[in-house]
Structures are given as structure tokens and as C-alpha cells.
């Protein structure tokens, strides 16, 4: 398979490149790593540009994410669906289901990743979980936008996230920074991608 990997931050891009270079077995798939940057617009634009240049069999969003209290820092999660949490659409308005419907993912974990252009805290996580009725949740600022572009092109998507912080358990921005500095081994992500067959 030819896999496009989108990584929001420079550190995630570097970690993924290092994991591919240091993988102990011959790689079964080919990989293109593109930094998507933080935020929905940047991520969607970088994904669309990459997909205009080359045909991919799978688009994968790789990196760190905040999570609900159901998870622990360090967990590697492959959610089954992605959706926006910051799209508020009036009832009865047609033609914008792409903002509210979930996008199916190739992941196997019973979890949803929610994307919005905001960093989340514990009260926001509680409100999002209550609004959507989804207790097991991850939160980022890119994944659903990338999945939306992939869906428009008819290419399956996967999201692989390492839980960096759990705000409901008291984690804060400093916790995130410490975690990212100390947890740079993305070998598990490569292992999962290498085992993926569509």
C-alpha cells in the first residue's frame, strides 16, 4: 500500500520519520510523511495538496491527542470514527451533513476522535461527551478535516493517536509539553500501519 501520513507538529513528523527509519523489519508499505500543521484548514489543505500529487491507498493521521478519562497517558488508540465537535448547524438546514456526520475510520478501538479549532479542557470534554453521548473520546485539531478530504477522494482513513493528556484527570498544558518531550517513540504506529491490509 501507498500510505499518506499527516502529522500536525514538527516533533510528530520527526518522530514518525525516525520510527520508519529504525523499524527492525523490511517495510511492507510505502510512506509519504507530510506535516499538516495545527488546525483544520492547514491540515485539510496539506492533505489535498499531497493527494493531488500522488495516488494513495490510505491516509493516516498520526500524533498526540488529548483524551477522556477512560484512557491513560501513553495509550495508543485507533478510533473507529471521526467527527467535528465545533460545528453547530441549525435544525433542518440541508447540504451540510459533512459538518455533522461521523466519518468512518479503519481503526479498531471503540472510540471517537473529535476535531475542533480549540484546545480542550475538562469542562469542554464533559460537554462534548454529553452532547454526542460518547464516553470514550479523543480530541485534536486536525483529524476529521483530513478524513473529510480523504472521503471526498474515496480513500480510506485511519487515525492513530498517542494519548498525551487527560484534562478530566487534571492534566494541563505543562503535562502535555512534558509528555511530548519524553515520549518520542512512534514505533507502535509503524507496527499498526504495517499490519494494516485493506
Amino acid at each position: 500500500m501507498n500510505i499518506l501520513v499527516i502529522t500536525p507538529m514538527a516533533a510528530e513528523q520527526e518522530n514518525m520519520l525516525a520510527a520508519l527509519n529504525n523499524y527492525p523489519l523490511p517495510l511492507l508499505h510505502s510512506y509519504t510523511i507530510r506535516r499538516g500543521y495545527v488546525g483544520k484548514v492547514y491540515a485539510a489543505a496539506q492533505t489535498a495538496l499531497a493527494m493531488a500529487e500522488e495516488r494513495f491507498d490510505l491516509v493516516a493521521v498520526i500524533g498526540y491527542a488529548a483524551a477522556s478519562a477512560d484512557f491513560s497517558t501513553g495509550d495508543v488508540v485507533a478510533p473507529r470514527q471521526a467527527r467535528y465537535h465545533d460545528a453547530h448547524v441549525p435544525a433542518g438546514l440541508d447540504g451540510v451533513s459533512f459538518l455533522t456526520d461521523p466519518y468512518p475510520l479503519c481503526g479498531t478501538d471503540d472510540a471517537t476522535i473529535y476535531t475542533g479549532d480549540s484546545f480542550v479542557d475538562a469542562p469542554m470534554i464533559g460537554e462534548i461527551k454529553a452532547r454526542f453521548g460518547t464516553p470514550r473520546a479523543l480530541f485534536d485539531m486536525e483529524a476529521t478535516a483530513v478524513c473529510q478530504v480523504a472521503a471526498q477522494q474515496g480513500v480510506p482513513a485511519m487515525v492513530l493517536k498517542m494519548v498525551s493528556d487527560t484534562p478530566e484527570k487534571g492534566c494541563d498544558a505543562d503535562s502535555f509539553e512534558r509528555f511530548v518531550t519524553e515520549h518520542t517513540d512512534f514505533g507502535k504506529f509503524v507496527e499498526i500501519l504495517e499490519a494494516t491490509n485493506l
Side-chain angles (χ1 to χ4, degrees), residues 87-172:
H88 297 277
V89 178
L93 186 64
D94 293 330
V96 291
S97 60
F98 59 88
L99 290 175
T100 55
D101 290 348
Y103 289 88
L105 301 172
C106 297
T108 57
D109 293 318
D110 183 21
T112 299
I113 185 156
Y114 291 97
T115 299
D117 279 325
S118 301
F119 291 94
V120 296
D121 56 19
M124 285 180 67
I125 289 175
E127 187 277 325
I128 293 165
K129 290 194 306 182
R131 178 162 31 113
F132 290 99
T134 313
R136 292 173 55 81
L138 303 173
F139 304 88
D140 82 344
M141 300 171 72
E142 303 83 22
T144 306
V146 172
C147 296
Q148 182 180 343
V149 174
Q152 288 173 341
Q153 298 295 319
V155 178
M158 175 179 279
V159 174
L160 296 173
K161 294 288 187 172
M162 185 182 295
V163 175
S164 55
D165 54 305
T166 49
E168 291 174 305
K169 296 179 181 177
C171 293
D172 54 20

Side-chain angles (χ1 to χ4, degrees), residues 1-154:
M1 282 196 303
N2 192 19
I3 302 176
L4 171 63
V5 176
I6 301 293
T7 59
M9 300 186 307
E12 292 162 327
Q13 183 181 35
E14 293 165 7
N15 294 345
M16 192 61 189
L17 287 168
L20 287 168
N21 289 332
N22 296 324
Y23 195 65
L25 300 172
L27 294 172
L28 301 175
H29 307 309
S30 59
Y31 297 87
T32 298
I33 314 297
R34 287 287 279 264
R35 183 176 172 197
Y37 297 90
V38 175
K40 294 184 294 187
V41 173
Y42 270 130
Q46 290 299 321
T47 304
L49 286 170
M51 296 184 77
E53 297 169 359
E54 190 174 346
R55 174 69 188 174
F56 295 98
D57 302 301
L58 177 70
V59 176
V61 184
I62 303 293
Y64 303 105
S68 61
D70 302 78
F71 297 98
S72 299
T73 54
D75 286 349
V76 173
V77 186
R80 291 182 182 164
Q81 66 177 5
R83 68 189 310 172
Y84 294 113
H85 70 73
D86 60 352
H88 297 277
V89 178
L93 186 64
D94 293 330
V96 291
S97 60
F98 59 88
L99 290 175
T100 55
D101 290 348
Y103 289 88
L105 301 172
C106 297
T108 57
D109 293 318
D110 183 21
T112 299
I113 185 156
Y114 291 97
T115 299
D117 279 325
S118 301
F119 291 94
V120 296
D121 56 19
M124 285 180 67
I125 289 175
E127 187 277 325
I128 293 165
K129 290 194 306 182
R131 178 162 31 113
F132 290 99
T134 313
R136 292 173 55 81
L138 303 173
F139 304 88
D140 82 344
M141 300 171 72
E142 303 83 22
T144 306
V146 172
C147 296
Q148 182 180 343
V149 174
Q152 288 173 341
Q153 298 295 319

